[in-house]
Amino acid sequence: MRVRFDGEIAGVGSAGGTRVVVGRWVRSPFGEVADAMVETAAGHRVLVAPTRELADFIAATYTFDEVRIEPTTLVAGPDARRFTSASLDLAISVGRPTALGRLVGLVPRRIATAPAWCAVTDPVARVVLRGVRTRGTAGGGRREWYGATGVRAVTTLDGSFDGVPLGELRPVDPPCRFGFSSTPPRPSLTTVVTTIDLPGARAVGSQDAGDRGDRA
């Protein structure tokens, strides 16, 4: 079975050494949701998700030292995003498209989000963006493809994790260790469709299987 998550991923580093990856999914097998993956300066990896069902799905795909089930909210404006939960409060400002964003924006969405295209771009991504891949294998024999349709620079950061201020914006360095892929070193907001093959899986989430995406 193949499922798709359609939305955006914000990846940022901080002066305190904590790196954060926030996913805002407008369409997914779990409805409209937001989650966060946090890696502290000490290397402790935490998943923050609003439901156990979503947390179990993400944790079966990526690797964490701790999973927290917390109500999450994500407020999106034209040039800003704010994610809040009991553990994490993160506000970012978003600027213009990056050079990479302008390049991927030239590719029609239908092509850019197709797994076959992600397979073509993967060798380039490995060279150009340290730690980033656009296809790969994940936990439980799953296969994934990341089809980016736009990239904008993140210009400021303000927030805290477990009550400790994150500090000013910094590159995502070292890369996060959640799974086979990370976000680019440059703090950015990427609009993306994530496609996941679930071998031998039954229906996931609340949507009917026919609503969860097209096969390539």
Side-chain angles (χ1 to χ4, degrees):
M1 184 179 69
R2 180 169 289 181
V3 299
R4 304 185 86 180
F5 289 73
D6 188 347
E8 59 187 28
I9 297 173
V12 296
S14 69
T18 296
R19 288 92 70 209
V20 183
V21 179
V22 170
R24 174 193 176 214
W25 306 111
V26 179
R27 288 178 292 277
S28 84
F30 304 92
E32 185 172 355
V33 292
D35 63 84
M37 305 179 188
V38 181
E39 184 169 357
T40 68
H44 188 67
R45 296 162 295 183
V46 181
L47 169 65
V48 178
T51 66
R52 171 58 63 182
E53 187 180 26
L54 176 61
D56 288 346
F57 183 89
I58 297 173
T61 307
Y62 301 98
T63 303
F64 303 96
D65 303 300
E66 182 183 355
V67 175
R68 303 182 184 182
I69 310 301
E70 303 173 355
T72 64
T73 61
L74 197 152
V75 179
D79 300 309
R81 304 289 187 273
R82 182 166 187 174
F83 177 95
T84 55
S85 76
S87 297
L88 178 65
D89 183 4
L90 179 71
I92 60 173
S93 298
V94 185
R96 295 182 177 183
T98 65
L100 176 61
R102 292 191 293 271
L103 182 62
V104 300
L106 297 176
V107 181
R109 176 182 167 85
R110 179 179 60 84
I111 295 175
T113 60
W117 178 256
C118 298
V120 171
T121 59
D122 184 63
V124 178
R126 295 192 196 199
V127 174
V128 176
L129 302 171
R130 180 170 60 91
V132 174
R133 296 182 60 186
T134 58
R135 70 166 180 172
T137 57
R142 297 177 177 186
R143 295 188 299 160
E144 288 194 68
W145 297 267
Y146 291 104
T149 59
V151 184
R152 295 171 64 188
V154 172
T155 56
T156 67
L157 173 154
D158 183 34
S160 62
F161 180 64
D162 282 343
V164 179
L166 295 173
E168 295 181 351
L169 183 68
R170 293 288 188 274
V172 186
D173 186 33
C176 299
R177 301 172 301 115
F178 304 123
F180 76 85
S181 185
S182 181
T183 60
R186 180 178 182 179
S188 58
L189 178 75
T190 302
T191 52
V192 65
V193 173
T194 300
T195 305
I196 306 173
D197 266 350
L198 308 174
R202 294 183 178 182
V204 177
S206 58
Q207 288 184 308
D208 181 80
D211 294 332
R212 284 194 294 271
D214 302 320
R215 293 189 176 273

